[in-house]
Amino acid sequence: MGLTISETERALQTPGSSQGPASWRSELKESLTSLFYSFVGINQYFGFVTNFQLTLTKDTPSCDTLLFANEIRHDLDSGSIILDACVVPLTHARCGKLLPALSRLMSTRLLGINLSKEETVTWKQMLPALAERCRTWKHRSSCEYGKRGAPLSTEEGENPLCSCGEGQVPAGFGDQAERAPFARYATQVAISPLFAVPHEESFVSQLANVSLPTRTTGSAITEGQGDLKRCGSCGASSKELKECSRCYRASYCDAKCQRAAWKDHKGVCKKP
């Protein structure tokens, strides 16, 4: 995953960068990295997570899409990996029907990934293609794409996907109590990382400085190797790291590392 972000994009993520704000593309790559790292259990803040919510960040954050991760698969054609998952767009009509199930899901281990408006639109544009990558079902003659195109919508609270693939989920998906109410609305998707382009973007010199993404919200856990702690910015392990004086959950090598990680960490930094 360290090969997904170029040096230019990494510089844009640094607080106080003179190169301007991070682009929707680098934000999307951060979100994808959060998904993969959390599902395999190496997110240093949240550990192993299988259920995610894509949350549109605005005055009042709102959950726009649920994503249930199933397993990691090899993508032999591209020499990469994919995250096999099921996605449930939360339309306004569905939220009313699923309110009890949503309340139960929120009480489980659910990790929120905060999205800007631009990144939310990008996710909605991508979802039809991600569904096509692993489609085993056929589109009906009455498919909504035929009249409206794909995606159906990129607006908040509206569904970008056609209904043809709804309920076509992997065996066993509905056996999990917290997922069962969402099975009829779920569409299977294949999510892959977005890599930097080596002949256009430089990224090799940054491989030693890859850090785990923290642009997420949820119930944090502590991971360690004996008495060693891991820097929340550069990933270095040491017994001498300094804890965040506010939440005491994140640790850093020094003030420079703390400043570099603050943009991501501030969303989850709360007093105990």
Side-chain angles (χ1 to χ4, degrees):
M1 298 301 293
L3 298 178
T4 63
I5 300 178
S6 67
E7 289 187 1
T8 300
E9 290 169 331
R10 197 176 299 279
L12 290 173
Q13 296 171 1
T14 303
S17 170
S18 60
Q19 301 186 44
S23 66
W24 61 265
R25 184 173 62 176
S26 62
E27 290 177 343
L28 176 62
K29 289 181 179 181
E30 281 189 75
S31 298
L32 291 171
T33 302
S34 293
L35 289 173
F36 280 90
Y37 278 12
S38 299
F39 182 70
V40 299
I42 59 173
N43 185 321
Q44 66 197 64
Y45 298 100
F46 303 101
F48 175 66
V49 182
T50 60
N51 300 333
F52 303 86
Q53 59 176 337
L54 303 182
T55 304
L56 176 59
T57 303
K58 51 181 184 177
D59 295 335
T60 303
S62 61
C63 179
D64 186 77
T65 304
L66 294 176
L67 194 150
F68 301 97
N70 302 316
E71 56 187 340
I72 295 286
R73 295 177 178 270
H74 283 113
D75 183 354
L76 299 180
D77 289 337
S78 63
S80 182
I81 57 175
I82 61 170
L83 180 64
D84 183 313
C86 292
V87 64
V88 178
L90 291 176
T91 64
H92 297 303
R94 284 179 182 175
C95 284
K97 297 177 182 178
L98 292 170
L99 188 57
L102 286 169
S103 298
R104 290 193 296 271
L105 183 65
M106 294 300 174
S107 65
T108 65
R109 190 166 180 74
L110 181 69
L111 185 62
I113 298 179
N114 300 325
L115 311 181
S116 65
K117 182 177 181 180
E118 292 76 14
E119 189 185 351
T120 301
V121 170
T122 304
W123 270 100
K124 287 180 177 288
Q125 291 172 332
M126 289 196 321
L127 284 177
L130 299 182
E132 290 296 312
R133 290 192 66 188
C134 59
R135 177 168 62 87
T136 56
W137 40 269
K138 293 184 178 180
H139 286 284
R140 298 187 294 266
S141 58
S142 59
C143 177
E144 296 91 335
Y145 290 160
K147 292 183 178 180
R148 299 165 57 187
L152 298 180
S153 174
T154 59
E155 295 298 317
E156 177 192 356
E158 296 186 9
N159 193 351
L161 296 168
C162 71
S163 60
C164 303
E166 289 181 358
Q168 306 291 334
V169 295
F173 178 87
D175 295 343
Q176 301 179 46
E178 73 273 14
R179 294 186 174 191
F182 302 97
R184 61 179 294 190
Y185 302 104
T187 300
Q188 190 172 12
V189 294
I191 303 172
S192 59
L194 297 178
F195 291 96
V197 182
H199 62 272
E200 293 186 356
E201 304 172 284
S202 176
F203 58 86
V204 176
S205 66
Q206 293 291 339
L207 290 181
N209 297 317
V210 172
S211 59
L212 299 180
T214 59
R215 192 161 52 86
T216 51
T217 55
S219 302
I221 66 169
T222 300
E223 288 188 357
Q225 301 174 352
D227 293 330
L228 293 180
K229 297 178 180 179
R230 182 182 295 168
C231 177
S233 177
C234 69
S237 297
S238 172
K239 296 181 180 180
E240 307 300 326
L241 299 183
K242 298 176 178 59
E243 292 182 333
C244 172
S245 60
R246 185 182 185 189
C247 68
Y248 301 103
R249 291 187 295 181
S251 300
Y252 303 99
C253 297
D254 49 32
K256 181 179 179 181
C257 278
Q258 186 174 19
R259 286 194 298 270
W262 176 243
K263 179 182 177 182
D264 291 334
H265 179 60
K266 65 181 179 181
V268 295
C269 184
K270 298 180 180 179
K271 292 183 179 180

